[in-house]
Amino acid sequence: MSVGTIDSESLRNEMVDRLASDHHAKGLALRPEVEAAMRAVPRELYTPGIPLEEAYENTAIITKRVGEENISSVSAPFLIAEMLGQAADALGRLEGRHVLEVGSGGYNASLLRELVGPAGSVTTVDIDPDVTDRAAACLEAAGYDDVIVVCADAEQPIKPGRRYDLIIVTAGAWDVAPAWRDQLTEDGVLVVPLRTFGMTRSWALRRSGDRLVSESHRQCGFVSIQGAGAHEMRYIDFAEGVHLRLDEGQQIDPAVVAGLLTKPREEAWAGLSLPPRTVLADLNLWLATHLIREVREFVVLSAQEAAVASGIVAPSWRFGTPATLHDGTFAYRSALRWTGRLFDLGAYAHGPDAAAAAGRMVEHMRAWVDAGSPSPVLHVLPAHAPDGDLPDGVVLDKRNSRLVLAFTSR
């Protein structure tokens, strides 16, 4: 065994050990079969030209850019492990299953090949021939030449009549393509990073007839899907290094928000004392589904590090914080306020109705905690589904489907 192989194996095992610790910190468990697959597949073979140490860092590695836009990557190991875990949890086991992967980097397809075993199959599809050529070459170099690589737009069926037990999408989607549902076996599972209200979650969705219902979700981020399923996310410059993200057809005149952050800031706090292990990922979707009933525009605030450091804004997460814009008043979920080892939830607002807007947002945060920090369940129905067939929840109409978000206590 060469020195390079020894180094690779050591780094690979260290990476998986970190993944197991990361899962534990999140209250998750790294499934044994997923752990074994990640210890077996050499990630560096899918990241040629990248230093060995970088190949085993817990981050995505961009493999293709067009201008400033990243359009293909080898996903971060922690996210791959979580999504594979979602699939395995939903299906009970992956051995012997037939899998379609939408978005080809090669690495995830090889992990799936390890998981399905000799009796299963893996097909990976991507719209970009550069990506599929690269994936095919990497898979062959790693010894996974029985993975079927297809260059096509996965918005359409890959092979008419073919059904898969699992479809796993490794690109950020704005909608659920009907072809994904239709290619699933009855009771099959779709794992997809889906944007709702500008926020992405990896949903594990089980098919039941013409609808899908979620069984789990994870916070995540991916390069956007291309082709017929693409949907452009719009941004408005709000201040130096501060942006509003519009994703559900909102129309906002930039002149309306100009100078808003220079107006006096009002703040409100929920009066809570929450422990550090409190999971807040579901709170943002709770705010989206509740605030959108009250205000015309629910948006997402993003900010560069320099803007946060200067104090222009103090968001709960600079990469995507729930916010509202209504009648010239802007409000958003603020950074946590710590007292010793406990924290409180708050909101900041600017504009003529700032104090009331911050107060309303905080009321919804407090209601989420009082309700037992409920978790969202996502229902996906065809676009033609009548209102009477929809379950209770907040309806979000997309191009091909009607999404319903509902909340259940843990």
Side-chain angles (χ1 to χ4, degrees):
M1 185 178 291
S2 69
V3 173
T5 302
I6 295 172
D7 289 343
S8 170
E9 184 174 354
S10 175
L11 289 168
R12 190 156 63 249
N13 286 328
E14 289 176 7
M15 178 190 75
V16 178
D17 289 343
R18 291 195 300 271
L19 294 181
S21 297
D22 178 63
H23 271 59
H24 179 74
K26 294 176 180 176
L28 306 173
L30 181 60
R31 289 182 66 106
E33 67 271 37
V34 174
E35 178 179 343
M38 299 194 82
R39 292 191 190 279
V41 177
R43 191 173 187 244
E44 77 273 11
L45 296 183
Y46 301 90
T47 60
I50 300 296
L52 189 61
E53 293 79 5
E54 289 185 26
Y56 287 101
E57 290 180 0
N58 198 12
T59 57
I61 294 176
I62 303 303
T63 55
K64 185 174 182 178
R65 292 183 175 88
V66 174
E68 296 297 317
E69 183 181 5
N70 300 326
I71 64 170
S72 184
S73 69
V74 177
S75 301
F78 80 91
L79 190 47
I80 289 175
E82 289 188 24
M83 292 178 70
L84 292 175
Q86 284 183 279
D89 286 344
L91 289 168
R93 62 179 179 84
L94 292 181
E95 187 176 2
R97 303 288 191 174
H98 300 287
V99 182
L100 173 65
E101 179 195 35
V102 177
S104 297
Y107 178 57
N108 193 57
S110 61
L111 292 170
L112 286 163
R113 194 69 194 88
E114 289 282 340
L115 289 165
V116 301
S121 68
V122 176
T123 299
T124 183
V125 58
D126 200 283
I127 195 172
D128 189 332
D130 290 342
V131 173
T132 51
D133 288 349
R134 182 184 179 282
C138 291
L139 285 162
E140 184 176 5
Y144 296 96
D145 51 6
D146 56 351
V147 171
I148 301 168
V149 182
V150 178
C151 183
D153 188 342
E155 190 80 358
Q156 304 301 323
I158 302 307
K159 186 177 181 181
R162 178 69 190 272
R163 297 290 180 267
Y164 301 92
D165 304 296
L166 168 67
I167 297 177
I168 186 164
V169 182
T170 58
W174 181 77
D175 196 1
V176 176
W180 298 347
R181 178 199 62 221
D182 295 344
Q183 289 175 105
L184 282 174
T185 59
E186 185 63 27
D187 211 39
V189 171
L190 168 68
V191 179
V192 55
L194 182 64
R195 291 203 320 265
T196 56
F197 304 106
M199 296 176 286
T200 302
R201 300 290 184 273
S202 170
W203 297 93
L205 301 157
R206 184 178 300 279
R207 180 181 181 180
S208 177
D210 66 352
R211 64 186 61 193
L212 303 162
V213 182
S214 68
E215 298 200 348
S216 68
H217 64 281
R218 304 281 186 269
Q219 187 169 330
C220 66
F222 276 89
V223 297
S224 296
I225 206 163
Q226 302 177 60
H231 181 87
E232 183 179 1
M233 196 182 309
R234 294 177 53 236
Y235 292 87
I236 291 179
D237 292 337
F238 197 9
E240 183 68 30
V242 183
H243 315 279
L244 296 184
R245 198 157 73 210
L246 313 181
D247 199 39
E248 303 295 348
Q250 300 102 320
Q251 297 296 324
I252 294 177
D253 183 352
V256 172
V257 300
L260 253 181
L261 292 179
T262 64
K263 297 183 181 301
R265 185 174 77 186
E266 298 286 348
E267 58 186 80
W269 296 93
L272 302 169
S273 296
L274 301 173
R277 289 183 66 87
T278 304
V279 179
L280 297 175
D282 296 338
L283 174 58
N284 289 348
L285 283 177
W286 171 276
L287 289 173
T289 56
H290 286 71
L291 287 167
I292 203 165
R293 296 167 174 168
E294 300 178 354
V295 298
R296 192 169 67 183
E297 299 296 356
F298 177 88
V299 296
V300 175
L301 169 69
S302 63
Q304 296 175 10
E305 191 172 353
V308 175
S310 69
I312 296 175
V313 287
S316 57
W317 188 45
R318 70 182 186 88
F319 296 106
T321 291
T324 60
L325 181 64
H326 184 63
D327 289 342
T329 296
F330 176 70
Y332 63 95
R333 186 183 150 209
S334 72
L336 305 177
R337 182 167 68 181
W338 289 87
T339 303
R341 293 186 54 79
L342 302 175
F343 67 84
D344 193 9
L345 301 170
Y348 291 159
H350 302 260
D353 195 33
R360 282 193 298 269
M361 186 172 283
V362 160
E363 286 175 8
H364 287 298
M365 297 179 196
R366 192 182 298 115
W368 178 74
V369 174
D370 290 344
S373 305
S375 188
V377 174
L378 178 67
H379 302 260
V380 182
L381 294 89
H384 57 74
D387 289 348
D389 288 351
L390 303 180
D392 292 336
V394 173
V395 180
L396 186 58
D397 286 314
K398 301 277 189 172
R399 184 184 303 135
N400 298 311
S401 55
R402 308 194 75 183
L403 309 186
V404 182
L405 275 164
F407 280 81
T408 60
S409 297
R410 299 178 189 275

